[in-house]
Amino acid sequence: MPETFDSRPRFDTVLIANRGEIATRIQKACRELGLKTVVVYSEADRQAPYGKTADSALCIGPSSAAKSYLNKDALLLAARLTDAGAIHPGYGFLSENAAFADAVEKAGLTFIGPSASSIEAMGDKISAKRAMIAAGVPCVPGPDTALADDPAAVERLAREIGYPVIIKAAGGGGGRGMRVVPEAGLLQEAVALTREEARQAFGSPSLYMEKFLQHPRHIEIQVLCDTHGNAVWLGHRDCSMQRRHQKVVEEAPAPGISPDVIRPVGRACVEACRQIGYRGVGTFEFLYEDGAFYFIEMNTRLQVEHPVTEMTSGIDIVQAQIKVAQGDPLELAQADVRCEGHAFECRINAEDPDTFLPSAGIITSLAFPEGTGIRVDTHIHAGYKVPPYYDSLIAKLIVHAPTRAEAMARMREALVETRVDGISTNIPFLRALFEDGAFARGETDIHYLEQWLKQRRAP
Ligand code: ADP
């Protein structure tokens, strides 16, 4: 066993504070590492298959997420009752909640994620931007300070940056708390509205301003850091295919970006991790326009789209995350990271393929593709009842092939072979998207999918 300089205890049991496909994914990683798992579930998830394969399974509350998956006390009690030594928060729910990370550590358990102070620092977009500028990470033009109250100063700043600008809440998230301002006449009202929204939704009126980029792509860099000062980046992903700021299809690597262009950005991300003493996995999100990268935010958790990086890098990111939480040093240096081939991920959602309204109910039968370069991350099975209370993601279909064109062809075929009956899913929409010429040529930006949908709806 490697020597660890970490005072936190090693653990042999992990409580999974999440549900759905990611609960299955984390359980698999734990079992492969020889760790026991505790599954917690709401009353609506009583039937979840991962509960049956766990070493212990406990109901932590009613269907409402606020009373179950977001109930910190219930989760800590469940950990105590089952002798769990660590809590994996997955994504969403409490994964980026600094108070929860702190409470877990104060209870003498390991939070499988970064420290509460890292979560807090990156959760405030102004302090995150400041830390990135200090580490040499390129950011969107605009100051790393909060917007002044003085209307004349705000106007001067907007003129300096140049219209269009975007006003963003420092504590914003989930695509909320931001407003684009195309011209000076609309500035003061936009600031007032966003400030009020920020105060109500995020509990802080703090705002900042930056340049609004008109046709960017969304490109992100996956990092992995241990508690011994080692950090690596595991290549990049393109997540430009978004509907209402929600990612629909992700791929790795981002097409058409030369290694020479992305390398300094990856290095800067690693440097930023060292400077802030980051531990675990994390993602730096960038907008990419006209050959330049602009940092927008850091996600201090595992992401839904981590499998495309696993497929190209060959690294099990969830296992690596757990090992780091045990205090182990990274098993690889940057020179060992080699990304090969191309991977796509489709998010299969229980929703109407035309209206995108959620579709709950019983899955009567289903079929998933199998074979070389195909992976399906899911918790569903025939007879499974999709509850109406949570995110509509029911499965992730992931493919890997030597080239982007081959990976696209593999995904097209995989989507033809995928069938989920009894409820509506977005599979028909995904099939149509993978037939699109501009997407095949890699000529898309973050607005492309919305425009594509509008055109499809036009009579
Ligand atoms: P959130 O934390 O709410 O996800 P982000 O800062 O990540 O907020 O921004 C969400 C999305 O908003 C981005 O993916 C992008 O589509 C858009 N966006 C944010 N900042 C800018 C900007 N400066 N210019 C253009 N679009 C932006």
Side-chain angles (χ1 to χ4, degrees), residues 124-207:
D124 179 302
K125 292 183 180 183
I126 298 176
S127 78
K129 191 167 183 177
R130 199 170 304 140
M132 293 309 128
I133 290 172
V137 176
C139 290
V140 183
D144 59 352
T145 47
L147 213 51
D149 280 329
D150 173 19
V154 171
E155 210 156 315
R156 239 185 347 263
L157 177 61
R159 224 176 308 122
E160 259 170 49
I161 294 174
Y163 290 94
V165 296
I166 184 168
I167 311 293
K168 297 168 87 169
R176 293 183 312 145
M178 53 180 100
R179 208 165 251 99
V180 181
V181 186
E183 53 177 67
L186 302 170
L187 181 65
Q188 302 302 345
E189 191 193 351
V191 170
L193 286 172
T194 316
R195 207 182 279 291
E196 199 39 46
E197 199 174 291
R199 202 191 312 270
Q200 285 183 18
F202 312 114
S204 154
S206 180
L207 302 179

Side-chain angles (χ1 to χ4, degrees), residues 439-451:
F439 178 30
R441 291 189 297 275
E443 294 167 0
T444 56
D445 62 28
I446 56 170
H447 306 299
Y448 184 79
L449 185 55
E450 298 270 7
Q451 286 156 1

Side-chain angles (χ1 to χ4, degrees), residues 125 166 168 173-175 178 210-213 245 287 297 446:
K125 292 183 180 183
I166 184 168
K168 297 168 87 169
M178 53 180 100
E210 57 188 27
K211 178 86 184 154
F212 178 71
L213 305 173
H245 298 305
L287 295 177
E297 69 165 340
I446 56 170

